[in-house]
Amino acid sequence: FYTWLSQDTIEASHHYSSSNTTHFGLFSLFYGLNPYYFHDFRLGLIPPAGLTLLEDYGYDIYATAARTMRWYDQDKFLLGRNPEIFIPETGKNFERDRMVTDRSIEIARQHQESGEPYLNFIYYYTTHADYEHPDSHSLFQPSIRGKVDFSDQALRGEKRHELVNRYRNAIHYVDSELKRLVDGIKKAGAWDNTILVFTGDHGEEFFEENTFGHNSNLNEYQTRVPFLMHIPGKGNIDVGKQTSHMDVMQTILGEIFKAAVEDIQFQGRNMLSKENGAVYVAKAHYQKPTAYAIHVMGQKAVVNIDGGFMEIESIAGKNGETVNMNRGLHSGIAGLVHQIKELRN
C-alpha cells in the first residue's frame, strides 16, 4: 500500500530521522529543532511552538499511541499544552496498533462532522522488537515464530534472514494498518482536507554493520526512514534532496497557513522549497547528543562533540569510501556549531 500511495503523494526518498533513537527523533519532528535541545525543553516542560500555534487557532491535539508516551516525559511537553492521549491498556503490539487505527479513524470522522481542525500523532509499534505480527501477515519465509531469543548468536549468522523476514512481516502488517487508516479517512469524507505524514522515528539495523536495532550507530540502517506526505491538491512529487525530521513541522505549517511561519524559530527547511543544505542526525543519549552524522552533497562526516570538544571521526562518500572533505561539508560542520549555539540563551 505504501508503494501505491507514494505514486500520488509527496515522497522524500532521502529522508533521515534526526536521530537513531525515538525521543530525539520525535523532538525534531514536533519542534523543527536540533535534538541537542531536547533535555532543556524537557526540564522546562516547553511545548512545541508549532503545536501551540495550532492550538491558538482552535486545533484539538491528539496522540493515539500503541505504547506509553511517558518515556522521557514526552507526554508532559512533546505533544503541546493539553493533548488528549489514547493508549490501549492491554494487548500485543499489533493488537494495540489495530486499536490505534480504529481510534484515529473515529477522530477523523468526528472532526469531519464538526468541522473543527485537529492534529493527531499516530504511533504504531509492531515494527519495534520483537516484531510480533499476526500469522496472516507471515508472507516472508522462513521467519522466526514465537518469542525471539535475542541472545542467540545464530541471529548474526544462519538465522539472520529469519529475523529479517519477521521484521518484513511486521512492516507488512503496519502497511495494512496504513491502508485501513487512509481508507477510513476517505470514508469519513476527510481525505481532501487532511494532511497526512507517514514516517519512522528511527531505522533498524540487522547486523549489516555488526550492530542490531538502533541507539548504537549513525549508519543508514539506523537513521534513514521512509517519508510520505499527502497534501490535498499536490500529487506525485519526489523530493530529491536530503531532508530530515527537522524540516517536517515547518513544511506542514507552511501548507496550513500558506505563508512562511516567521514568528517560530525553526532550524530545518521547508521540504517543498528549493532551499538545500546539510542534514544533522544525532546519536542516541539520555540527555544531549554526543555525536552527529552530517550529510551534505553526497558526503557524510561523523563528528564527536562530547566534553566540549569537536572531533571529526570519519568522512565518507556516498558509497562509504573515505574521501577528502568538500566545501559543502565544511559549511555543514560550521552549521552544526551554529545550531548548537543558536538557542543556548
Side-chain angles (χ1 to χ4, degrees), residues 66-67 71 93-94 97 123-129 131 174:
R67 286 291 178 179
W71 291 104
N93 288 336
F94 64 85
D97 282 353
Y123 190 40
Y124 292 122
Y125 212 77
T126 299
T127 48
H128 200 283
Y131 322 117
V174 172

Side-chain angles (χ1 to χ4, degrees), residues 10-14 237-243 271-272:
I10 299 163
E11 181 176 19
S13 52
H14 300 280
I237 299 175
D238 180 17
V239 180
K241 64 183 179 182
Q242 291 178 327
T243 56
M271 297 174 67
L272 302 181

Side-chain angles (χ1 to χ4, degrees), residues 40 71 199 262 299 316 332:
D40 301 291
W71 291 104
T199 188
E262 298 177 352
Q299 289 193 348

Side-chain angles (χ1 to χ4, degrees), residues 256-303:
I256 292 174
F257 297 104
K258 304 300 180 184
V261 188
E262 298 177 352
D263 294 334
I264 298 178
Q265 187 168 11
F266 290 115
Q267 293 180 318
R269 297 172 294 272
N270 190 310
M271 297 174 67
L272 302 181
S273 72
K274 295 181 179 180
E275 187 180 3
N276 210 338
V279 166
Y280 304 109
V281 184
K283 190 172 184 178
H285 192 270
Y286 178 70
Q287 295 182 349
K288 290 182 181 291
T290 58
Y292 283 86
I294 304 173
H295 299 266
V296 59
M297 296 176 62
Q299 289 193 348
K300 171 189 173 183
V302 176
V303 178

Side-chain angles (χ1 to χ4, degrees), residues 51-68:
L51 294 194
T52 299
L53 176 66
L54 292 176
E55 289 180 300
D56 290 343
Y57 274 84
Y59 278 71
D60 293 326
I61 308 298
Y62 298 89
T64 49
R67 286 291 178 179
T68 180

Side-chain angles (χ1 to χ4, degrees), residues 35-333:
Y36 182 84
Y37 295 101
F38 170 86
H39 188 59
D40 301 291
F41 280 61
R42 177 191 180 188
L43 289 179
L45 298 181
I46 303 171
L51 294 194
T52 299
L53 176 66
L54 292 176
E55 289 180 300
D56 290 343
Y57 274 84
Y59 278 71
D60 293 326
I61 308 298
Y62 298 89
T64 49
R67 286 291 178 179
T68 180
M69 296 297 296
R70 293 176 182 173
W71 291 104
Y72 302 98
D73 300 319
Q74 293 176 103
D75 57 332
K76 296 180 180 178
F77 74 105
L78 196 69
L79 301 168
R81 294 175 296 197
N82 189 33
E84 180 181 315
I85 301 177
F86 169 80
I87 301 174
E89 294 181 358
T90 60
K92 299 178 179 180
N93 288 336
F94 64 85
E95 295 168 335
R96 290 167 174 263
D97 282 353
R98 188 178 302 136
M99 288 184 271
V100 160
T101 302
D102 291 340
R103 177 58 183 149
S104 298
I105 292 172
E106 179 63 17
I107 290 171
R109 186 191 64 78
Q110 291 173 349
H111 280 267
Q112 181 66 13
E113 291 178 355
S114 69
E116 298 297 323
Y118 75 100
L119 181 144
N120 183 20
F121 170 60
I122 305 168
Y123 190 40
Y124 292 122
Y125 212 77
T126 299
T127 48
H128 200 283
D130 65 356
Y131 322 117
E132 186 177 11
H133 55 274
D135 290 340
S136 57
H137 288 266
S138 296
L139 275 70
F140 302 99
Q141 294 295 333
S143 172
I144 297 175
R145 299 179 66 88
K147 186 175 179 60
V148 180
D149 178 10
F150 287 105
S151 66
D152 185 356
Q153 290 300 306
L155 296 179
R156 290 176 172 266
E158 63 267 27
K159 288 186 179 180
R160 177 183 176 275
H161 66 292
E162 297 182 25
L163 180 62
V164 172
N165 280 341
R166 183 179 174 104
Y167 181 59
R168 295 174 75 190
N169 290 331
I171 291 173
H172 188 270
Y173 176 73
V174 172
D175 183 71
S176 73
E177 287 302 297
L178 175 62
K179 182 180 188 304
R180 278 216 309 130
L181 175 68
V182 172
D183 287 347
I185 294 173
K186 288 181 176 180
K187 185 176 180 180
W191 184 245
D192 291 335
N193 61 358
T194 296
I195 294 175
L196 183 141
V197 171
F198 182 84
T199 188
D201 50 354
H202 52 70
E204 201 82 340
E205 181 181 354
F206 292 90
F207 305 110
E208 286 89 348
E209 295 185 4
N210 206 36
T211 51
F212 168 73
H214 49 281
N215 294 340
S216 58
N217 202 322
L218 288 173
N219 58 24
E220 295 283 297
Y221 304 104
Q222 295 192 28
T223 62
R224 192 164 167 178
V225 293
F227 186 92
L228 289 182
M229 178 184 290
H230 163 72
I231 298 176
K234 288 184 168 62
N236 185 8
I237 299 175
D238 180 17
V239 180
K241 64 183 179 182
Q242 291 178 327
T243 56
S244 83
H245 281 5
M246 287 173 57
D247 306 325
V248 177
M249 185 55 70
Q250 183 175 0
T251 306
I252 292 173
L253 295 181
E255 289 300 316
I256 292 174
F257 297 104
K258 304 300 180 184
V261 188
E262 298 177 352
D263 294 334
I264 298 178
Q265 187 168 11
F266 290 115
Q267 293 180 318
R269 297 172 294 272
N270 190 310
M271 297 174 67
L272 302 181
S273 72
K274 295 181 179 180
E275 187 180 3
N276 210 338
V279 166
Y280 304 109
V281 184
K283 190 172 184 178
H285 192 270
Y286 178 70
Q287 295 182 349
K288 290 182 181 291
T290 58
Y292 283 86
I294 304 173
H295 299 266
V296 59
M297 296 176 62
Q299 289 193 348
K300 171 189 173 183
V302 176
V303 178
N304 295 316
I305 62 169
D306 198 13
F309 297 94
M310 177 172 283
E311 175 189 36
I312 299 176
E313 179 181 307
S314 63
I315 301 171
K318 63 175 61 178
N319 296 317
E321 72 281 13
T322 301
V323 296
N324 293 321
M325 187 185 307
N326 62 25
R327 183 178 299 179
L329 201 52
H330 271 289
S331 177
I333 293 173

